[in-house]
Amino acid sequence: MAIVDSIRHVIHERARKKRVQLAAQWPQTEAKVDIWKVLPAGDASESFTQTDFIEASFHFTLNGEYYGGYLRSVAMGRKEAEKLAVGCPSINVRYNPTNPDETVVLADDNGAFPFALVSG
């Protein structure tokens, strides 16, 4: 089972990196965070103190239509995640101009965000 999980992780990571590469050429827009969730980091945790991560949904409007997606933080402690997962901050989002339902949040576009993001 561990080998299957490792292969699945490698494939998922390769797809994420390809998505990030493609998205670097897409236009940017500003989105608003809607809903926050603090979730267990599981195997993504690099230490026993980084037990959780933040996942948030966001939305933006383009040509009068609503679109959205999700962002993820790096792993962090539970208390820190609960403290940071608040409000309705703005986030810079890249979207596929031929299919705006396809979105990517890049960490490099959001250096001032209250916590570190995982690009993808």
Side-chain angles (χ1 to χ4, degrees):
M1 188 68 164
I3 293 173
V4 172
D5 288 340
S6 294
I7 293 169
R8 187 176 296 133
H9 176 74
V10 168
I11 291 170
H12 177 73
E13 186 62 17
R14 193 175 292 155
R16 184 191 69 79
K17 285 180 179 180
K18 185 174 182 174
R19 216 175 27 252
V20 167
Q21 262 185 327
L22 289 172
Q25 308 306 313
W26 294 348
Q28 273 188 75
T29 192
E30 186 176 288
K32 290 284 186 191
V33 172
D34 300 313
I35 299 170
W36 301 95
K37 289 182 185 177
V38 176
L39 300 168
D43 292 338
S45 179
E46 294 180 10
S47 82
F48 66 92
T49 61
Q50 298 173 330
T51 57
D52 296 271
F53 70 95
I54 299 169
E55 181 178 88
S57 65
F58 60 81
H59 77 276
F60 62 96
T61 308
L62 187 64
N63 300 321
E65 297 287 327
Y66 281 90
Y67 299 95
Y70 296 91
L71 62 87
R72 291 182 86 170
S73 74
V74 297
M76 63 183 73
R78 178 122 186 128
K79 288 193 185 292
E80 181 182 9
E82 289 173 345
K83 185 176 94 175
L84 293 171
V86 296
C88 300
S90 296
I91 187 93
N92 294 313
V93 176
R94 302 264 179 172
Y95 64 91
N96 182 339
T98 60
N99 178 12
D101 282 320
E102 193 176 343
T103 61
V104 173
V105 175
L106 299 179
D108 291 346
D109 293 340
N110 293 285
F113 205 67
F115 51 82
L117 299 166
V118 175
S119 293

